[in-house]
Amino acid sequence: GRYNREPDRSLSTGLPLIQNAQISLGEVQYSFTPLQDLFVVGGVSQRYVNIDTDGTLMTAARNDNMTGVFGQLEYTMGWSLKALVAARWDRSSLHESQFSPKAALVWTINAQHSLRATYNRAFQSPNYSELYLNVKHPLRAVVYLGNNKLRPETITGYEVGYNGVFGQTVYITAEAYFNVLEEFVTDLGPGVNPDYLGP
């Protein structure tokens, strides 16, 4: 939590800033092995975020909550091949629900060499400044505004890799990956969006 007994001072505008916030988070996780070669993990998380800037950064206070449900299966097929699948579902009052899957396959060629292939999707929600900032510069015709129409930034990744030990003294790793980024969110930039006032 954070509570301003006295306002901070913005270095860019000189304006007073108040940022009172309380974040509460709880998570429950359980793992078990139903079969000798199968490992299972499951869980749920809940988060509450309460932020009030008293009008200095946002026009209104925000009270948001996020729920996550996740699970993972890891299966070993003999001594040389291991498969992993995982998924997470996130619901939030800030954005539409997100589904994040992951799959990986690891082939242990021998005790010194292994190959792996991985697929995963992840997301990052825009922060409160990017969504709800509302500050007018006191000396210049600039308004710093967030954009509450922003969607979560997502990344889908594909990766292959190799690990090897040579002569018990040299360790080599090589990786190749390709990422697809969508709904990219940049840093705040006054005047970049023609819908908002600029310098």
Side-chain angles (χ1 to χ4, degrees):
R2 173 186 173 134
Y3 178 74
N4 278 95
R5 295 181 61 184
E6 296 181 3
D8 295 325
R9 189 68 58 177
S10 169
L11 296 178
S12 61
T13 65
L15 295 172
L17 302 178
I18 294 176
Q19 301 177 68
N20 297 328
Q22 180 69 44
I23 300 175
S24 304
L25 173 65
E27 181 174 299
V28 176
Q29 188 176 118
Y30 179 69
S31 63
F32 61 100
T33 307
L35 301 173
Q36 181 178 356
D37 298 322
L38 180 63
F39 179 66
V40 181
V41 179
V44 62
S45 65
Q46 182 67 41
R47 183 180 186 189
Y48 297 96
V49 179
N50 310 103
I51 296 180
D52 187 2
T53 68
D54 200 24
T56 61
L57 290 170
M58 302 186 305
T59 56
R62 293 288 312 183
N63 297 290
D64 296 294
N65 63 87
M66 304 87 175
T67 305
V69 179
F70 55 90
Q72 178 173 308
L73 302 175
E74 186 176 315
Y75 182 59
T76 302
M77 295 168 274
W79 65 270
S80 64
L81 199 60
K82 180 185 292 184
L84 181 147
V85 292
R88 181 182 174 101
W89 175 78
D90 287 276
R91 182 215 55 83
S92 173
S93 56
L94 287 171
H95 54 76
E96 65 270 21
S97 297
Q98 297 289 318
F99 180 68
S100 305
K102 178 179 181 178
L105 195 62
V106 179
W107 177 31
T108 303
I109 303 170
N110 54 43
Q112 287 78 37
H113 304 277
S114 65
L115 296 171
R116 69 184 181 281
T118 305
Y119 160 83
N120 66 76
R121 180 189 184 275
F123 78 95
Q124 176 174 288
S125 174
N127 61 42
Y128 281 92
S129 291
E130 292 162 344
L131 289 169
Y132 303 114
L133 184 68
N134 188 349
V135 177
K136 183 177 181 180
H137 198 287
L139 303 177
R140 296 186 290 148
V142 177
V143 178
Y144 300 95
L145 283 178
N147 180 357
N148 62 11
K149 297 178 182 178
L150 291 175
R151 301 178 64 190
E153 190 176 297
T154 63
I155 184 169
T156 303
Y158 307 86
E159 181 181 341
V160 292
Y162 162 79
N163 292 335
V165 178
F166 295 86
Q168 298 183 344
T169 57
V170 178
Y171 177 76
I172 294 178
T173 180
E175 297 179 2
Y177 61 89
F178 179 76
N179 293 327
V180 179
L181 187 65
E182 297 180 277
E183 302 292 346
F184 181 67
V185 178
T186 67
D187 292 333
L188 291 168
V192 173
N193 190 327
D195 293 338
Y196 302 136
L197 296 177

